[in-house]
Amino acid sequence: KLTSGGKLIVVVGLDATGKTTITTELKKWLSKNFTTSLIHFGKPPSALRTRPLNVLLKIVRKNTKHNKKIPNNSDDKPRSLFYFIRYLALAYDRYRLISSYKKKVNNGEIVICDRYKSENYGVMDSPRLNPTNYRGLKRLIANYENNLYKKMPEPDLLLYLTVPVYVAVQRNKKRIKEGKESEEFLRGRYKINKDLKYDANSQLYFDTNRDYTAVLKD
C-alpha cells in the first residue's frame, strides 16, 4: 500500500474507445505490486432502498433493449416523476460505490474506475436533472441528485480516451455484446457527449486510434 495515501484513477471516454480493455490491463499491471481494485461507475451495485426500482428498470430494459432510442439530453420535453426518481436512485448508488472505495484509497490502496462523472448536465454518467428548470418536488429531487454528484471526490488521475466517431462505429460492429447499440444510436451519443469537462488533480488524453501496444505503453 502507498503510505502517503492511495490513488483514485478513472478512465473515461465514449463508446468503443477502449475503456474496459485499458482498465483491465491497468489493474493487471498495478496489482503485481499494489493492492488494487477495479470498479464500474456506470453500473453501480444497488443499495437496499434502490433495489426494487432497479429490478423494475431491468425488466423494462429487457423488453426494449433491441429498440434503443437516439440519446436526447434536452430539458424541453416534460419529464415524469418516475424519470426523476430513476436518476436520483442512480446517483445514490454511484455515490455509495465511490464513497465505499474512497475509504480504500484513504487506506493506501489504488482504485481504478471505469467511467466517471463529468461537470456537464444531461450527459452520460453525470447529473441529469438541472434544478433551475423545475419547481416544487422535482426541483427538490434535482437538488438532491446534484448534491450527491458534488460530494463525489475528484480523481487523482483521469485518463481520457478518444477516437473519431467513424472508428467507434467500426469497432462497435465487431463487438460481441448483448443488445448492442445501433450505428445511429452511437453517432447520436457521440454528438451529445463530445467535449465533456472533468475535474481531476491530473488529466491525460490518449488517442486510442493507434496500435494497441503503443497505446498501452503510453
Side-chain angles (χ1 to χ4, degrees):
K1 296 182 180 180
L2 296 162
T3 56
S4 59
K7 300 293 179 185
L8 173 60
I9 302 172
V10 304
V11 180
V12 300
L14 298 181
D15 300 275
T17 52
K19 296 186 299 296
T20 301
T21 303
I22 294 299
T23 52
T24 302
E25 290 293 341
L26 269 176
K27 184 178 186 302
K28 192 184 301 181
W29 175 50
L30 292 170
S31 293
K32 294 176 182 178
N33 297 292
F34 302 100
T35 303
T36 310
S37 300
L38 174 58
I39 59 175
H40 198 298
F41 187 79
K43 301 173 183 177
S46 299
L48 189 62
R49 63 181 65 181
T50 62
R51 192 169 297 148
L53 177 64
N54 291 334
V55 169
L56 177 61
L57 286 172
K58 282 184 179 180
I59 295 171
V60 173
R61 289 195 190 105
K62 187 176 181 180
N63 294 328
T64 58
K65 63 182 179 181
H66 297 300
N67 189 30
K68 288 186 177 181
K69 296 180 180 179
I70 298 173
N72 180 9
N73 62 351
S74 172
D75 275 323
D76 297 336
K77 65 179 184 179
R79 302 292 189 182
S80 67
L81 188 60
F82 181 78
Y83 178 90
F84 280 72
I85 295 172
R86 169 191 175 189
Y87 283 107
L88 174 60
L90 180 59
Y92 180 76
D93 286 339
R94 286 172 169 168
Y95 173 73
R96 284 184 71 254
L97 174 68
I98 294 300
S99 297
S100 64
Y101 279 88
K102 187 64 170 70
K103 295 176 182 177
K104 292 179 179 287
V105 172
N106 294 338
N107 196 34
E109 299 182 19
I110 294 176
V111 174
I112 302 167
C113 188
D114 186 336
R115 294 163 53 171
Y116 204 63
K117 70 180 183 84
S118 75
E119 300 305 307
N120 306 68
Y121 270 113
V123 295
M124 56 185 285
D125 304 325
S126 301
R128 290 295 182 108
L129 312 173
N130 190 337
T132 59
N133 295 335
Y134 307 103
R135 296 179 181 178
L137 179 60
K138 288 183 177 180
R139 175 176 286 187
L140 187 67
I141 295 173
N143 278 322
Y144 191 18
E145 184 229 27
N146 278 236
N147 287 334
L148 287 170
Y149 281 101
K150 287 176 182 176
K151 289 194 291 185
M152 297 178 194
E154 284 189 13
D156 296 287
L157 175 62
L158 182 141
L159 309 179
Y160 199 145
L161 311 184
T162 63
V163 294
V165 64
Y166 74 89
V167 175
V169 169
Q170 291 172 356
R171 288 181 178 178
N172 193 57
K173 289 178 180 178
K174 299 176 182 178
R175 293 165 86 185
I176 301 173
K177 178 182 176 183
E178 186 179 357
K180 188 164 60 174
E181 297 83 359
S182 66
E183 178 177 340
E184 188 180 22
F185 179 91
L186 198 63
R187 288 185 180 275
R189 188 158 159 129
Y190 259 70
K191 184 178 180 181
I192 289 173
N193 292 282
K194 65 180 181 180
D195 303 323
L196 298 184
K197 295 179 176 61
Y198 293 91
D199 283 341
N201 293 334
S202 181
Q203 298 187 31
L204 297 173
Y205 291 78
F206 295 90
D207 176 10
T208 60
N209 184 27
R210 298 178 291 141
D211 178 71
Y212 173 69
T213 53
V215 173
L216 201 58
K217 183 177 179 181
D218 285 348

